[in-house]
Amino acid sequence: MAEMDFFDVKSKTKFKTSDFRVEERKGRFFAVAKSPSGSHECWRVLSKDMAAQLKK
């Protein structure tokens, strides 16, 4: 998988990771990664094209 940028809202920091999953919720696609600074998850909105490309 490609490396993506995420923003951790709780710690207010950016981080890059290639360890994430793609989820669909109510027709919208998201990339979900574990936060490096805690036990919570960070979500990023994806376009349909990007989600289809990452699911391959």
Side-chain angles (χ1 to χ4, degrees):
M1 263 190 198
E3 193 170 69
M4 294 187 76
D5 291 327
F6 287 86
F7 183 74
D8 187 346
V9 176
K10 288 188 178 181
S11 67
K12 297 181 176 78
T13 57
K14 283 186 177 182
F15 65 96
K16 289 186 178 190
T17 185
S18 59
D19 184 25
F20 61 89
R21 67 182 188 277
V22 177
E23 283 196 21
E24 182 181 359
R25 298 262 173 114
K26 297 182 182 178
R28 296 187 74 184
F29 294 95
F30 300 92
V32 185
K34 291 275 187 190
S35 171
S37 64
S39 61
H40 55 280
E41 295 179 328
C42 301
W43 291 62
R44 176 183 170 157
V45 178
L46 297 175
S47 66
K48 286 183 182 180
D49 295 336
M50 180 65 88
Q53 185 180 17
L54 291 172
K55 283 186 175 184
K56 289 183 180 178

Short mmCIF file of all heavy atoms in Angstrom, two decimals:
data_model
loop_
_atom_site.label_atom_id
_atom_site.label_comp_id
_atom_site.label_asym_id
_atom_site.label_seq_id
_atom_site.Cartn_x
_atom_site.Cartn_y
_atom_site.Cartn_z
N MET A 1 0.84 -1.19 0.00
CA MET A 1 0.00 0.00 0.00
C MET A 1 0.87 1.25 0.00
O MET A 1 1.98 1.24 0.50
CB MET A 1 -0.88 0.03 1.25
CG MET A 1 -2.26 -0.49 1.02
SD MET A 1 -3.31 -0.16 2.43
CE MET A 1 -4.57 -1.33 2.02
N ALA A 2 0.30 2.29 -0.48
CA ALA A 2 1.00 3.57 -0.54
C ALA A 2 1.02 4.23 0.84
O ALA A 2 0.17 3.96 1.68
CB ALA A 2 0.32 4.49 -1.54
N GLU A 3 1.98 5.10 1.04
CA GLU A 3 2.06 5.84 2.30
C GLU A 3 1.15 7.06 2.23
O GLU A 3 1.12 7.75 1.22
CB GLU A 3 3.51 6.26 2.55
CG GLU A 3 3.74 6.75 3.95
CD GLU A 3 5.21 6.94 4.23
OE1 GLU A 3 5.80 7.86 3.66
OE2 GLU A 3 5.74 6.16 5.02
N MET A 4 0.38 7.31 3.30
CA MET A 4 -0.55 8.43 3.33
C MET A 4 -0.30 9.31 4.53
O MET A 4 0.18 8.83 5.57
CB MET A 4 -2.00 7.93 3.38
CG MET A 4 -2.45 7.19 2.16
SD MET A 4 -4.19 6.80 2.22
CE MET A 4 -4.86 8.38 1.84
N ASP A 5 -0.65 10.58 4.41
CA ASP A 5 -0.57 11.53 5.51
C ASP A 5 -1.86 11.49 6.31
O ASP A 5 -2.94 11.47 5.72
CB ASP A 5 -0.36 12.96 5.00
CG ASP A 5 1.00 13.16 4.39
OD1 ASP A 5 1.96 12.52 4.84
OD2 ASP A 5 1.09 13.98 3.44
N PHE A 6 -1.74 11.49 7.62
CA PHE A 6 -2.89 11.56 8.52
C PHE A 6 -2.65 12.70 9.51
O PHE A 6 -1.50 13.07 9.76
CB PHE A 6 -3.07 10.26 9.30
CG PHE A 6 -3.59 9.12 8.48
CD1 PHE A 6 -2.74 8.32 7.75
CD2 PHE A 6 -4.95 8.85 8.44
CE1 PHE A 6 -3.22 7.27 6.99
CE2 PHE A 6 -5.44 7.80 7.69
CZ PHE A 6 -4.57 7.01 6.96
N PHE A 7 -3.73 13.22 10.08
CA PHE A 7 -3.63 14.25 11.10
C PHE A 7 -4.29 13.72 12.36
O PHE A 7 -5.46 13.32 12.35
CB PHE A 7 -4.32 15.54 10.65
CG PHE A 7 -4.17 16.66 11.63
CD1 PHE A 7 -2.97 17.33 11.78
CD2 PHE A 7 -5.23 17.04 12.44
CE1 PHE A 7 -2.82 18.36 12.70
CE2 PHE A 7 -5.10 18.07 13.36
CZ PHE A 7 -3.88 18.72 13.49
N ASP A 8 -3.56 13.71 13.45
CA ASP A 8 -4.06 13.26 14.74
C ASP A 8 -4.66 14.47 15.46
O ASP A 8 -3.95 15.38 15.87
CB ASP A 8 -2.93 12.66 15.56
CG ASP A 8 -3.40 12.01 16.84
OD1 ASP A 8 -4.55 12.25 17.26
OD2 ASP A 8 -2.61 11.27 17.44
N VAL A 9 -5.97 14.51 15.58
CA VAL A 9 -6.67 15.65 16.17
C VAL A 9 -6.37 15.78 17.65
O VAL A 9 -6.22 16.89 18.16
CB VAL A 9 -8.20 15.52 15.93
CG1 VAL A 9 -8.95 16.64 16.60
CG2 VAL A 9 -8.50 15.50 14.44
N LYS A 10 -6.25 14.67 18.35
CA LYS A 10 -6.01 14.73 19.80
C LYS A 10 -4.63 15.29 20.14
O LYS A 10 -4.51 16.09 21.06
CB LYS A 10 -6.21 13.35 20.43
CG LYS A 10 -7.66 12.94 20.48
CD LYS A 10 -7.86 11.68 21.28
CE LYS A 10 -9.33 11.33 21.35
NZ LYS A 10 -9.57 10.12 22.14
N SER A 11 -3.61 14.86 19.42
CA SER A 11 -2.27 15.35 19.72
C SER A 11 -1.85 16.52 18.82
O SER A 11 -0.78 17.09 18.99
CB SER A 11 -1.24 14.23 19.59
OG SER A 11 -1.13 13.81 18.25
N LYS A 12 -2.71 16.85 17.84
CA LYS A 12 -2.47 17.95 16.90
C LYS A 12 -1.15 17.80 16.16
O LYS A 12 -0.37 18.74 16.02
CB LYS A 12 -2.53 19.29 17.63
CG LYS A 12 -3.89 19.59 18.22
CD LYS A 12 -3.89 20.95 18.90
CE LYS A 12 -5.26 21.30 19.41
NZ LYS A 12 -5.64 20.64 20.63
N THR A 13 -0.90 16.58 15.65
CA THR A 13 0.31 16.31 14.89
C THR A 13 -0.02 15.55 13.61
O THR A 13 -1.02 14.84 13.54
CB THR A 13 1.31 15.46 15.69
OG1 THR A 13 0.67 14.24 16.08
CG2 THR A 13 1.80 16.18 16.92
N LYS A 14 0.84 15.71 12.60
CA LYS A 14 0.72 14.96 11.36
C LYS A 14 1.65 13.76 11.44
O LYS A 14 2.70 13.81 12.08
CB LYS A 14 1.15 15.82 10.17
CG LYS A 14 0.14 16.83 9.73
CD LYS A 14 0.64 17.50 8.47
CE LYS A 14 -0.38 18.48 7.95
NZ LYS A 14 0.08 19.11 6.70
N PHE A 15 1.26 12.69 10.74
CA PHE A 15 2.15 11.54 10.64
C PHE A 15 1.86 10.82 9.33
O PHE A 15 0.80 10.98 8.74
CB PHE A 15 1.99 10.59 11.84
CG PHE A 15 0.64 9.92 11.95
CD1 PHE A 15 0.44 8.64 11.45
CD2 PHE A 15 -0.42 10.56 12.56
CE1 PHE A 15 -0.80 8.02 11.55
CE2 PHE A 15 -1.66 9.95 12.68
CZ PHE A 15 -1.85 8.68 12.18
N LYS A 16 2.84 10.06 8.86
CA LYS A 16 2.71 9.27 7.64
C LYS A 16 2.75 7.80 8.01
O LYS A 16 3.50 7.39 8.90
CB LYS A 16 3.86 9.55 6.67
CG LYS A 16 3.79 10.90 6.03
CD LYS A 16 4.88 11.05 4.99
CE LYS A 16 4.76 12.42 4.33
NZ LYS A 16 5.63 12.51 3.17
N THR A 17 1.92 7.01 7.32
CA THR A 17 1.92 5.57 7.55
C THR A 17 1.41 4.85 6.30
O THR A 17 0.64 5.42 5.52
CB THR A 17 1.07 5.19 8.77
OG1 THR A 17 1.22 3.78 9.00
CG2 THR A 17 -0.39 5.51 8.59
N SER A 18 1.84 3.63 6.15
CA SER A 18 1.30 2.78 5.09
C SER A 18 0.47 1.66 5.71
O SER A 18 -0.03 0.80 5.00
CB SER A 18 2.43 2.21 4.24
OG SER A 18 3.31 1.47 5.05
N ASP A 19 0.32 1.70 7.03
CA ASP A 19 -0.46 0.70 7.77
C ASP A 19 -1.84 1.28 8.08
O ASP A 19 -2.06 1.87 9.14
CB ASP A 19 0.27 0.32 9.06
CG ASP A 19 -0.44 -0.79 9.81
OD1 ASP A 19 -1.18 -1.56 9.18
OD2 ASP A 19 -0.26 -0.86 11.04
N PHE A 20 -2.77 1.14 7.13
CA PHE A 20 -4.13 1.63 7.30
C PHE A 20 -5.10 0.72 6.57
O PHE A 20 -4.69 -0.13 5.78
CB PHE A 20 -4.26 3.07 6.78
CG PHE A 20 -3.95 3.24 5.32
CD1 PHE A 20 -4.93 3.10 4.36
CD2 PHE A 20 -2.67 3.55 4.91
CE1 PHE A 20 -4.64 3.24 3.02
CE2 PHE A 20 -2.36 3.70 3.57
CZ PHE A 20 -3.36 3.55 2.62
N ARG A 21 -6.39 0.88 6.86
CA ARG A 21 -7.42 0.11 6.16
C ARG A 21 -8.40 1.08 5.52
O ARG A 21 -8.50 2.24 5.93
CB ARG A 21 -8.13 -0.83 7.13
CG ARG A 21 -8.95 -0.13 8.19
CD ARG A 21 -9.58 -1.13 9.16
NE ARG A 21 -10.51 -0.48 10.06
CZ ARG A 21 -10.18 0.14 11.17
NH1 ARG A 21 -8.91 0.21 11.54
NH2 ARG A 21 -11.09 0.70 11.93
N VAL A 22 -9.12 0.60 4.51
CA VAL A 22 -10.12 1.41 3.82
C VAL A 22 -11.50 0.94 4.27
O VAL A 22 -11.79 -0.25 4.25
CB VAL A 22 -9.98 1.27 2.28
CG1 VAL A 22 -11.07 2.06 1.58
CG2 VAL A 22 -8.61 1.75 1.84
N GLU A 23 -12.34 1.88 4.71
CA GLU A 23 -13.70 1.57 5.15
C GLU A 23 -14.70 2.41 4.39
O GLU A 23 -14.40 3.53 3.99
CB GLU A 23 -13.87 1.88 6.64
CG GLU A 23 -13.26 0.87 7.55
CD GLU A 23 -13.76 0.98 8.97
OE1 GLU A 23 -14.85 1.56 9.20
OE2 GLU A 23 -13.06 0.50 9.86
N GLU A 24 -15.90 1.85 4.21
CA GLU A 24 -16.99 2.59 3.59
C GLU A 24 -18.09 2.77 4.61
O GLU A 24 -18.52 1.81 5.25
CB GLU A 24 -17.53 1.84 2.38
CG GLU A 24 -18.63 2.59 1.67
CD GLU A 24 -19.19 1.85 0.47
OE1 GLU A 24 -18.71 0.74 0.18
OE2 GLU A 24 -20.13 2.37 -0.15
N ARG A 25 -18.54 3.99 4.78
CA ARG A 25 -19.63 4.31 5.70
C ARG A 25 -20.62 5.21 4.98
O ARG A 25 -20.27 6.32 4.58
CB ARG A 25 -19.11 5.05 6.94
CG ARG A 25 -18.12 4.28 7.77
CD ARG A 25 -18.81 3.62 8.94
NE ARG A 25 -17.94 2.73 9.67
CZ ARG A 25 -17.54 2.93 10.92
NH1 ARG A 25 -17.90 4.01 11.56
NH2 ARG A 25 -16.77 2.05 11.50
N LYS A 26 -21.83 4.74 4.81
CA LYS A 26 -22.90 5.51 4.17
C LYS A 26 -22.49 6.08 2.82
O LYS A 26 -22.75 7.24 2.51
CB LYS A 26 -23.38 6.63 5.09
CG LYS A 26 -23.99 6.13 6.38
CD LYS A 26 -24.49 7.26 7.24
CE LYS A 26 -25.04 6.73 8.54
NZ LYS A 26 -25.50 7.80 9.42
N GLY A 27 -21.81 5.27 2.02
CA GLY A 27 -21.42 5.69 0.68
C GLY A 27 -20.15 6.52 0.60
O GLY A 27 -19.74 6.89 -0.50
N ARG A 28 -19.53 6.84 1.71
CA ARG A 28 -18.27 7.61 1.71
C ARG A 28 -17.13 6.68 2.10
O ARG A 28 -17.31 5.74 2.88
CB ARG A 28 -18.34 8.77 2.69
CG ARG A 28 -19.42 9.77 2.28
CD ARG A 28 -19.39 10.98 3.11
NE ARG A 28 -18.22 11.78 2.69
CZ ARG A 28 -17.85 12.90 3.30
NH1 ARG A 28 -18.53 13.35 4.33
NH2 ARG A 28 -16.80 13.58 2.89
N PHE A 29 -15.96 6.95 1.59
CA PHE A 29 -14.79 6.11 1.84
C PHE A 29 -13.80 6.83 2.74
O PHE A 29 -13.59 8.04 2.62
CB PHE A 29 -14.12 5.74 0.51
CG PHE A 29 -14.98 4.87 -0.35
CD1 PHE A 29 -15.79 5.42 -1.33
CD2 PHE A 29 -15.00 3.50 -0.17
CE1 PHE A 29 -16.59 4.62 -2.13
CE2 PHE A 29 -15.80 2.68 -0.96
CZ PHE A 29 -16.59 3.25 -1.94
N PHE A 30 -13.19 6.04 3.64
CA PHE A 30 -12.24 6.59 4.60
C PHE A 30 -11.02 5.68 4.71
O PHE A 30 -11.14 4.46 4.60
CB PHE A 30 -12.88 6.68 6.00
CG PHE A 30 -14.09 7.55 6.07
CD1 PHE A 30 -15.35 7.01 5.89
CD2 PHE A 30 -13.97 8.90 6.32
CE1 PHE A 30 -16.47 7.81 5.95
CE2 PHE A 30 -15.09 9.71 6.39
CZ PHE A 30 -16.34 9.16 6.20
N ALA A 31 -9.88 6.27 4.98
CA ALA A 31 -8.68 5.54 5.36
C ALA A 31 -8.57 5.68 6.88
O ALA A 31 -8.70 6.79 7.41
CB ALA A 31 -7.46 6.11 4.68
N VAL A 32 -8.35 4.57 7.57
CA VAL A 32 -8.31 4.56 9.03
C VAL A 32 -6.97 3.99 9.49
O VAL A 32 -6.58 2.90 9.08
CB VAL A 32 -9.46 3.71 9.61
CG1 VAL A 32 -9.48 3.80 11.12
CG2 VAL A 32 -10.80 4.13 9.03
N ALA A 33 -6.28 4.74 10.35
CA ALA A 33 -4.97 4.31 10.86
C ALA A 33 -4.93 4.49 12.37
O ALA A 33 -5.60 5.36 12.92
CB ALA A 33 -3.86 5.11 10.22
N LYS A 34 -4.13 3.66 13.03
CA LYS A 34 -3.90 3.81 14.47
C LYS A 34 -3.00 5.02 14.72
O LYS A 34 -2.05 5.25 13.99
CB LYS A 34 -3.21 2.57 15.04
CG LYS A 34 -4.07 1.35 15.07
CD LYS A 34 -4.90 1.35 16.31
CE LYS A 34 -5.63 0.02 16.43
NZ LYS A 34 -6.61 0.05 17.48
N SER A 35 -3.30 5.76 15.74
CA SER A 35 -2.49 6.92 16.10
C SER A 35 -1.17 6.46 16.72
O SER A 35 -1.16 5.56 17.56
CB SER A 35 -3.24 7.79 17.11
OG SER A 35 -2.40 8.79 17.62
N PRO A 36 -0.05 7.09 16.35
CA PRO A 36 1.22 6.71 16.97
C PRO A 36 1.35 7.24 18.41
O PRO A 36 2.19 6.77 19.16
CB PRO A 36 2.27 7.36 16.06
CG PRO A 36 1.56 8.47 15.38
CD PRO A 36 0.12 8.06 15.28
N SER A 37 0.50 8.19 18.80
CA SER A 37 0.63 8.79 20.13
C SER A 37 -0.45 8.34 21.11
O SER A 37 -0.57 8.89 22.18
CB SER A 37 0.58 10.32 20.01
OG SER A 37 -0.69 10.72 19.52
N GLY A 38 -1.26 7.35 20.74
CA GLY A 38 -2.29 6.88 21.65
C GLY A 38 -2.97 5.64 21.10
O GLY A 38 -2.56 5.08 20.09
N SER A 39 -4.07 5.25 21.74
CA SER A 39 -4.77 4.04 21.32
C SER A 39 -5.95 4.34 20.39
O SER A 39 -6.66 3.43 20.00
CB SER A 39 -5.28 3.29 22.55
OG SER A 39 -6.18 4.12 23.27
N HIS A 40 -6.15 5.61 20.05
CA HIS A 40 -7.28 5.98 19.20
C HIS A 40 -6.92 5.86 17.71
O HIS A 40 -5.77 5.62 17.35
CB HIS A 40 -7.74 7.41 19.51
CG HIS A 40 -6.65 8.43 19.40
ND1 HIS A 40 -5.72 8.63 20.40
CD2 HIS A 40 -6.33 9.28 18.40
CE1 HIS A 40 -4.88 9.57 20.02
NE2 HIS A 40 -5.22 9.98 18.80
N GLU A 41 -7.95 5.99 16.85
CA GLU A 41 -7.76 5.90 15.41
C GLU A 41 -7.90 7.27 14.76
O GLU A 41 -8.61 8.14 15.27
CB GLU A 41 -8.81 4.96 14.80
CG GLU A 41 -8.67 3.53 15.25
CD GLU A 41 -9.72 2.63 14.64
OE1 GLU A 41 -10.85 3.11 14.39
OE2 GLU A 41 -9.42 1.46 14.41
N CYS A 42 -7.22 7.44 13.64
CA CYS A 42 -7.30 8.67 12.86
C CYS A 42 -7.95 8.33 11.52
O CYS A 42 -7.57 7.35 10.88
CB CYS A 42 -5.91 9.25 12.64
SG CYS A 42 -5.06 9.64 14.18
N TRP A 43 -8.90 9.14 11.10
CA TRP A 43 -9.66 8.90 9.88
C TRP A 43 -9.35 9.97 8.86
O TRP A 43 -9.19 11.13 9.20
CB TRP A 43 -11.16 8.91 10.19
CG TRP A 43 -11.62 7.76 11.02
CD1 TRP A 43 -11.22 7.45 12.28
CD2 TRP A 43 -12.55 6.75 10.65
NE1 TRP A 43 -11.86 6.33 12.73
CE2 TRP A 43 -12.69 5.88 11.73
CE3 TRP A 43 -13.31 6.52 9.49
CZ2 TRP A 43 -13.52 4.78 11.71
CZ3 TRP A 43 -14.15 5.43 9.48
CH2 TRP A 43 -14.25 4.57 10.57
N ARG A 44 -9.31 9.56 7.59
CA ARG A 44 -9.08 10.49 6.49
C ARG A 44 -10.08 10.17 5.38
O ARG A 44 -10.25 9.01 5.00
CB ARG A 44 -7.66 10.32 5.98
CG ARG A 44 -7.38 11.18 4.77
CD ARG A 44 -5.99 10.93 4.24
NE ARG A 44 -5.88 11.60 2.96
CZ ARG A 44 -4.74 11.97 2.44
NH1 ARG A 44 -3.62 11.73 3.06
NH2 ARG A 44 -4.72 12.57 1.27
N VAL A 45 -10.73 11.19 4.84
CA VAL A 45 -11.72 11.02 3.78
C VAL A 45 -10.99 10.72 2.47
O VAL A 45 -9.98 11.35 2.15
CB VAL A 45 -12.60 12.29 3.62
CG1 VAL A 45 -13.58 12.12 2.48
CG2 VAL A 45 -13.32 12.59 4.91
N LEU A 46 -11.52 9.75 1.71
CA LEU A 46 -10.96 9.38 0.41
C LEU A 46 -11.99 9.60 -0.69
O LEU A 46 -13.19 9.46 -0.45
CB LEU A 46 -10.56 7.91 0.39
CG LEU A 46 -9.49 7.44 1.35
CD1 LEU A 46 -9.35 5.93 1.25
CD2 LEU A 46 -8.17 8.10 1.03
N SER A 47 -11.53 9.87 -1.88
CA SER A 47 -12.43 9.93 -3.03
C SER A 47 -12.76 8.48 -3.45
O SER A 47 -12.05 7.54 -3.07
CB SER A 47 -11.78 10.67 -4.19
OG SER A 47 -10.68 9.93 -4.67
N LYS A 48 -13.81 8.32 -4.23
CA LYS A 48 -14.17 6.97 -4.70
C LYS A 48 -13.06 6.38 -5.54
O LYS A 48 -12.76 5.19 -5.45
CB LYS A 48 -15.46 7.04 -5.51
CG LYS A 48 -16.68 7.25 -4.68
CD LYS A 48 -17.94 7.24 -5.53
CE LYS A 48 -19.16 7.50 -4.69
NZ LYS A 48 -20.39 7.50 -5.47
N ASP A 49 -12.42 7.21 -6.38
CA ASP A 49 -11.33 6.73 -7.23
C ASP A 49 -10.14 6.26 -6.40
O ASP A 49 -9.55 5.22 -6.68
CB ASP A 49 -10.89 7.83 -8.20
CG ASP A 49 -11.98 8.20 -9.19
OD1 ASP A 49 -12.87 7.36 -9.45
OD2 ASP A 49 -11.93 9.33 -9.71
N MET A 50 -9.77 7.04 -5.39
CA MET A 50 -8.64 6.69 -4.54
C MET A 50 -8.94 5.41 -3.75
O MET A 50 -8.09 4.54 -3.62
CB MET A 50 -8.32 7.82 -3.57
CG MET A 50 -7.16 7.52 -2.66
SD MET A 50 -5.59 7.34 -3.47
CE MET A 50 -5.06 9.01 -3.48
N ALA A 51 -10.17 5.27 -3.25
CA ALA A 51 -10.55 4.07 -2.50
C ALA A 51 -10.49 2.84 -3.40
O ALA A 51 -10.00 1.78 -2.98
CB ALA A 51 -11.95 4.24 -1.91
N ALA A 52 -10.97 2.96 -4.63
CA ALA A 52 -10.94 1.83 -5.56
C ALA A 52 -9.49 1.45 -5.89
O ALA A 52 -9.18 0.27 -5.99
CB ALA A 52 -11.69 2.20 -6.84
N GLN A 53 -8.64 2.43 -6.03
CA GLN A 53 -7.23 2.18 -6.33
C GLN A 53 -6.54 1.50 -5.15
O GLN A 53 -5.74 0.58 -5.33
CB GLN A 53 -6.54 3.50 -6.65
CG GLN A 53 -5.11 3.36 -7.08
CD GLN A 53 -4.49 4.72 -7.38
OE1 GLN A 53 -5.01 5.75 -6.99
NE2 GLN A 53 -3.39 4.69 -8.09
N LEU A 54 -6.86 1.90 -3.92
CA LEU A 54 -6.21 1.32 -2.73
C LEU A 54 -6.73 -0.07 -2.41
O LEU A 54 -6.03 -0.88 -1.79
CB LEU A 54 -6.41 2.24 -1.53
CG LEU A 54 -5.65 3.55 -1.59
CD1 LEU A 54 -6.09 4.45 -0.44
CD2 LEU A 54 -4.15 3.32 -1.54
N LYS A 55 -7.97 -0.38 -2.79
CA LYS A 55 -8.54 -1.69 -2.50
C LYS A 55 -7.95 -2.82 -3.36
O LYS A 55 -8.09 -3.96 -3.03
CB LYS A 55 -10.06 -1.67 -2.68
CG LYS A 55 -10.78 -1.01 -1.54
CD LYS A 55 -12.26 -1.15 -1.70
CE LYS A 55 -13.02 -0.60 -0.52
NZ LYS A 55 -14.46 -0.83 -0.66
N LYS A 56 -7.28 -2.46 -4.47
CA LYS A 56 -6.70 -3.47 -5.36
C LYS A 56 -5.58 -4.21 -4.72
O LYS A 56 -4.87 -3.80 -3.90
CB LYS A 56 -6.20 -2.80 -6.64
CG LYS A 56 -7.30 -2.33 -7.52
CD LYS A 56 -6.73 -1.74 -8.78
CE LYS A 56 -7.86 -1.25 -9.67
NZ LYS A 56 -7.37 -0.64 -10.89
#
